[in-house]
């Protein structure tokens, strides 16, 4: 008999955006595996223990959590946002795929959360109102030329693009290069949304035309949403602009 292994997302950071289902999983767990700032978002009881590890140690963290669940402990693996979007749910599945047979018997419960692009989109209007995709700009787990090709193809296909992991100290040039690639395909006035720390006290949401978008306007806490040629801006007196992508599209993309 194994314990249960929950994989949950805290949402983007606003406690009200964590789901009741994830909160119930927290209440039902005794050990919490995750990156410190994400686990810190939870209000834990004295009998609940934190097992903190660095953000780059996802596979080791997944294995450690599976080991504990195999020892009859109810365990919670914690991600920010949604656990299935560039986060721990895939790491747990990778560990099970390549791990001991007994890990396949663990009672695994993956619970969805509000991912960053949805939190950012809701703050500005409806930029994801038509077809869109999400791309991580991190080239830690895939070659940069794959990312370039995906950016080109998705922009040519008319998809709005949500960029996760846009920039970091170790990856300072990739976002600028991504803007250069997209400027060759999309009109200069295409709206680019820089959604930083959505739902948190230090939230900052800004919109810039692609023609003048600067990588320096993003940091690790930013989700960058690049519109399609159809994405529009509505100006409103005394209120922030609305950015949206209509639900319909007129014609073929090249
Ligand atoms: C490793 S990914 C994890 C994504 C997370 N699982 C999710 O579903 O939102 C981290 C990236 O998510 C984005 N992100 C996370 N929280 C955010 C927030 N509150 N506002 C804007 N972007 C955020 C940033 O692009 C950041 O670099």
């Amino acid at each position: 008999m194994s314990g249960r292994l929950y994989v949950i997302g805290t949402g983007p950071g606003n406690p009200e955006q964590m789901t009741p289902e994830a909160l119930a999983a927290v209440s039902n767990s005794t050990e919490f595996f995750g990156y410190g700032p994400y686990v810190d978002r939870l209000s834990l009881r004295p009998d609940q223990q934190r097992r903190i590890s660095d953000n780059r140690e996802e596979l080791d963290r997944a294995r450690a959590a599976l080991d504990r669940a195999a020892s009859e402990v109810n365990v919670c693996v914690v991600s920010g946002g949604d656990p299935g979007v560039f986060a721990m749910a895939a790491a747990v599945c990778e560990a099970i795929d390549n791990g001991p047979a007994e890990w396949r018997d663990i009672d695994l419960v993956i619970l969805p959360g509000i991912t960053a692009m949805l939190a950012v989109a809701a703050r500005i209007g409806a930029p994801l109102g038509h077809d869109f995709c999400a791309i991580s700009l991190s080239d830690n787990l895939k070659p940069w030329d794959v990312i370039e090709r995906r950016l080109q193809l998705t922009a040519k296909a008319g998809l709005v693009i949500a960029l996760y992991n846009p920039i970091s100290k170790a990856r300072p040039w990739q976002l600028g290069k991504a803007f250069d690639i997209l400027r060759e395909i999309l009109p200069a006035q295409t709206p680019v949304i820089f959604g930083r720390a959505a739902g948190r006290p230090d939230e900052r949401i800004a919109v810039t035309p692609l023609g003048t978008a600067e990588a320096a306007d993003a940091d690790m806490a930013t989700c960058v949403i690049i519109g399609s040629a159809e994405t529009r801006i509505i100006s409103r007196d005394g209120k922030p602009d609305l950015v949206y992508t209509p639900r319909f599209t007129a014609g073929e993309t090249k």
Side-chain angles (χ1 to χ4, degrees):
M1 177 74 178
S2 74
R4 178 170 287 181
L5 193 153
Y6 294 102
V7 189
I8 67 158
T10 64
N14 174 350
E16 291 180 2
Q17 291 178 340
M18 192 163 158
T19 68
E21 198 177 34
L23 289 168
V26 170
S27 170
N28 199 29
S29 302
T30 50
E31 292 188 23
F32 295 80
F33 289 77
Y35 178 49
Y38 298 152
V39 178
D40 286 346
R41 291 179 186 169
L42 308 177
S43 304
L44 298 182
R45 302 183 303 262
D47 63 301
Q48 295 178 310
Q49 290 157 16
R50 304 158 87 251
R51 305 273 183 253
I52 302 306
S53 50
D54 189 84
N55 217 8
R56 287 157 297 183
E57 295 170 7
E58 292 169 332
L59 200 51
D60 286 343
R61 178 189 305 145
R63 290 191 188 114
L66 284 157
D67 257 340
R68 291 301 287 153
S71 315
E72 301 183 26
V73 176
N74 275 2
V75 163
C76 195
V77 174
V78 184
S79 286
D82 176 274
V85 178
F86 307 124
M88 284 306 298
V92 169
C93 291
E94 287 164 28
I96 293 172
D97 202 10
N98 299 298
E102 68 189 50
W103 285 357
R104 294 176 188 226
D105 294 332
I106 288 172
D107 183 10
L108 175 66
V109 180
I110 301 172
L111 299 174
I114 296 180
T115 189
M117 67 180 174
L118 301 185
V120 170
R123 299 296 284 143
I124 194 82
L128 308 179
H130 193 68
D131 297 346
F132 64 90
C133 67
I135 296 178
S136 169
L137 218 56
S138 170
D139 52 0
N140 290 339
L141 298 172
K142 61 193 170 193
W144 176 253
D145 59 354
V146 169
I147 298 174
E148 283 198 4
R149 184 117 181 93
R150 289 180 183 171
L151 288 170
Q152 286 161 344
L153 292 172
T154 51
K156 282 183 185 165
L159 300 182
V160 170
I161 302 170
L163 291 179
Y164 285 71
N165 301 309
I167 198 163
S168 72
K169 280 199 186 112
R171 296 180 292 100
W173 55 266
Q174 285 84 341
L175 181 59
K177 178 76 179 163
F179 286 150
D180 288 343
I181 289 167
L182 295 171
R183 279 192 268 264
E184 288 177 13
I185 298 164
L186 294 166
Q189 71 273 18
T190 304
V192 176
I193 300 155
F194 291 87
R196 183 183 184 283
R200 305 208 288 261
D202 52 343
E203 172 183 291
R204 195 176 62 234
I205 312 282
V207 185
T208 316
L210 176 60
T212 54
E214 304 241 10
D217 289 338
D219 65 8
M220 278 175 66
T222 307
C223 181
V224 180
I225 300 180
I226 297 137
S228 70
E230 317 265 349
T231 304
R232 303 152 76 113
I233 297 181
I234 305 173
S235 310
R236 299 185 296 170
D237 279 344
K239 290 187 187 300
D241 290 350
L242 284 175
V243 181
Y244 82 107
T245 308
R247 292 165 299 144
F248 49 84
T249 190
E252 291 289 308
T253 52
K254 290 190 192 124

